[in-house]
Amino acid sequence: MFASVIDYFESISPVLAAFYATLFTWGMTAVGAATVYLFKNPNKKLLDGMLGFTGGVMIAASFWSLLAPAIEMSDGDGFKKVMPAAIGFALGALFLFGLDKLLPHLHLNHDMKDKEGIKTPWRKTTLLVLAITLHNIPEGLAVGVLFGGVAAGIPEASIAGAITLAIGIGLQNLPEGLAVSFPLRRAGMSKHKSFFYGQSSALVEPIAAVIGAIAVAFFTPVLPYALAFAAGAMVFVVIEEVVPETQQGNNTDIATLGFIGGFIIMMMLDVALG
């Protein structure tokens, strides 16, 4: 089946392929958000474990799918070979750092007094959605950049690798959708609105994917920088937001084991399929 998917994606434009792949990742967010219709309140241990899983997938994807190919496709030896990845990684982290300081948002399980970004009268529900939207920008960008590398004919970028990354991001988007919709429900929103806003947090992924694919396809030399940029942005999100959220309660061991499990699964997917 995986071979059939690869054949289909090879038959269409890489930009369109990036769009379709991130429609899948958005769809997984929607599936997670839809659980608000099935359960009144998720088990806190399960939620922390799933959020830990999210962090593990993102860290593994950052290296196996993004940083390693970025280094491999760079010219030269020694420091010269690793510099594009180092520069791109730093720029990606700084980009998310800037968004974190500017975009109003609120982390899960925090009070309104802990909101970040510029001051705004926006409600808690809006700020929660914006926090998860921050997570999704580098994820969509990462998928788009890989497909853009395929369009540019870079040997280290493959359809299989891009699809594998999309599968991994889709898996970790499921708990993200859940993590948004249930706090919104607890804040007083109806089930329908909680689902709508929960899934909408991932709509930025197809947009970021298309932008990344087009940029790399037209400006091939930036590919190592772009791959590392996406990796830096993803690692920033994990360290700044995902890990602290899983370490606040009494389920730190479960969250840590979830992280390890997510890392292992993404590593296996990338090596076996990518």
Side-chain angles (χ1 to χ4, degrees):
M1 181 178 178
F2 188 70
S4 299
V5 173
I6 293 175
D7 290 340
Y8 173 73
F9 274 82
E10 286 179 341
S11 69
I12 61 177
S13 159
V15 175
L16 185 60
F19 178 72
Y20 286 162
T22 45
L23 283 183
F24 164 75
T25 63
W26 162 77
M28 292 297 287
T29 305
V31 170
T35 56
V36 75
Y37 291 107
L38 303 176
F39 305 103
K40 185 175 181 180
N41 207 11
N43 182 282
K44 188 67 168 63
K45 290 182 179 180
L46 176 63
L47 182 57
D48 285 342
M50 293 177 75
L51 286 176
F53 176 87
T54 291
V57 169
M58 292 177 73
I59 291 294
S62 296
F63 176 75
W64 296 100
S65 298
L66 301 170
L67 273 179
I71 295 171
E72 186 178 349
M73 69 181 61
S74 298
D75 296 326
D77 298 301
F79 284 108
K80 183 179 179 181
K81 188 172 183 64
V82 79
M83 282 307 294
I87 293 171
F89 190 89
L91 290 176
L94 289 173
F95 174 72
L96 258 292
F97 174 79
L99 283 183
D100 190 67
K101 296 302 179 185
L102 292 174
L103 185 67
H105 63 284
L106 179 68
H107 299 305
L108 298 173
N109 304 315
H110 283 247
D111 296 324
M112 280 295 285
K113 62 181 178 63
D114 299 320
K115 63 183 180 181
E116 299 181 7
I118 60 175
K119 293 184 178 180
T120 174
W122 294 347
R123 296 188 302 175
K124 181 176 182 178
T125 52
T126 303
L127 296 175
L128 283 170
V129 173
L130 287 175
I132 300 299
T133 301
L134 270 177
H135 291 198
N136 292 323
I137 292 174
E139 294 168 10
L141 184 64
V143 174
V145 164
L146 273 181
F147 276 108
V150 174
I154 304 298
E156 292 83 1
S158 68
I159 291 288
I163 293 174
T164 301
L165 177 61
I167 291 172
I169 288 176
L171 287 175
Q172 62 94 34
N173 271 4
L174 195 150
E176 281 191 359
L178 184 153
V180 179
S181 61
F182 278 97
L184 296 180
R185 179 66 175 147
R186 287 197 298 268
M189 273 194 178
S190 68
K191 290 182 179 179
H192 297 309
K193 283 189 174 181
S194 298
F195 166 74
F196 175 78
Y197 287 110
Q199 59 82 30
S200 65
S201 64
L203 287 175
V204 69
E205 288 190 1
I207 298 171
V210 169
I211 292 173
I214 292 174
V216 171
F218 280 94
F219 303 101
T220 306
V222 308
L223 182 57
Y225 297 92
L227 288 170
F229 181 96
M234 288 175 70
V235 170
F236 181 91
V237 165
V238 173
I239 302 303
E240 166 68 14
E241 301 187 20
V242 177
V243 170
E245 287 164 11
T246 64
Q247 301 296 310
Q248 288 183 348
N250 299 319
N251 304 317
T252 56
D253 289 342
I254 293 174
T256 301
L257 291 174
F259 184 99
I260 298 299
F263 187 98
I264 291 172
I265 288 174
M266 186 63 213
M267 178 180 64
M268 292 175 66
L269 283 173
D270 199 279
V271 175
L273 302 179

